Structures are given as structure tokens and as C-alpha cells.
Amino acid sequence: MISADLGQQLESFVAKLVETGRYNSKSEVLREGVRLIQEPEAKLAALDLAIARGLADVAVDRIRPAEAVFDRLDAKYRALGARSK
């Protein structure tokens, strides 16, 4: 079980949410708060992983200059555009 000291301001806010019927209990308020934090934290973890993969690719020289990639894409889409005319 988690016990948390929220401080007077947050404790009052949580109590008001329960008193007004917005939530059934203080625990419900805290669960909702944690759920709201979960999604952005998961996105940050995925971003951290992607950055780590990118840095690992750089470390073993598994990269291409952006200009070369852009040139290849430009040529590809120009060819596709020419075919559709």
C-alpha cells in the first residue's frame, strides 16, 4: 500500500474532488493522476529507446548523411510523379 504526503494544498484539492462527487475516494483521485502520467512516461521511454538505438548506430558507423537520403527520396518521388502524368 502506498502512503503519500501531498501537502496541504493538494490534500485540500483532492478532498474537494471527493466532496463534490467528482470522485468516490481519495484513492480514486490518485489512481487517475497516476494513469494520466503513465502515457507520457511511456512515450518518453520509447523516445529514450529510439535515441539510444540511434546513438548505437552512430557508434558503429551505421548511418547515412541526410543529404544522400534526401536526394534518393527526391529522385524516387520525381520518378513517381513523372509516371503518373
Side-chain angles (χ1 to χ4, degrees):
M1 199 75 172
I2 295 176
S3 175
D5 179 10
L6 300 177
Q8 189 169 352
Q9 184 180 8
L10 289 176
E11 184 71 36
S12 294
F13 181 69
V14 169
K16 223 177 247 186
L17 290 171
V18 175
E19 288 168 13
T20 60
R22 174 77 173 90
Y23 292 89
N24 294 318
S25 68
K26 291 178 181 180
S27 293
E28 193 177 300
V29 175
L30 296 177
R31 279 192 298 274
E32 179 70 12
V34 171
R35 277 193 290 272
L36 289 171
I37 293 169
Q38 276 182 317
E39 186 178 339
E41 287 296 319
K43 288 179 181 180
L44 281 174
L47 181 58
D48 286 342
L49 182 60
I51 290 170
R53 278 194 225 127
L55 291 174
D57 285 344
V58 169
V60 295
D61 202 31
R62 194 172 35 224
I63 57 172
R64 295 185 199 138
E67 191 64 35
V69 174
F70 296 147
D71 288 347
R72 183 179 60 83
L73 289 172
D74 185 50
K76 175 182 175 179
Y77 290 112
R78 283 181 190 274
L80 285 173
R83 276 190 255 165
S84 66
K85 290 182 181 180

